[in-house]
Amino acid sequence: MKSGILVASLLLMAVIVAPAGGAFTTDNLLIAVDEDGSASITINYTLSWIETIAVFFKIADPAQELKSALEDALGGFP
């Protein structure tokens, strides 16, 4: 009985942790820099099945997460 619970727990952890390494797949990335130094970034991406479920249940917003990560990495936007 205890070994069954252990196996089930390990399988559950594997299912939860495995998608973390996959992240989303970038299909297209376009960075346009103007002469005045301003830039626009356009990214098209595909979500994994687990990320799609998270978006469906409004657990995560990948567009907002990506925007926040870019702002943090690039020093923010005006």
Side-chain angles (χ1 to χ4, degrees):
M1 180 66 172
K2 288 184 180 183
S3 63
I5 293 172
L6 177 62
V7 170
S9 298
L10 290 174
L11 287 173
L12 180 62
M13 287 191 321
V15 168
I16 291 171
V17 173
F24 62 84
T25 302
T26 302
D27 300 322
N28 185 28
L29 173 64
L30 174 65
I31 302 173
V33 181
D34 294 330
E35 289 182 15
D36 65 357
S38 63
S40 63
I41 301 171
T42 305
I43 185 169
N44 297 326
Y45 54 88
T46 303
L47 300 177
S48 68
W49 65 270
I50 194 79
E51 292 163 330
T52 302
I53 292 170
V55 170
F56 179 78
F57 287 109
K58 299 183 191 264
I59 296 171
D61 179 7
Q64 184 59 42
E65 294 294 327
L66 183 59
K67 181 177 182 275
S68 295
L70 286 171
E71 288 174 345
D72 290 344
L74 300 175
F77 295 103

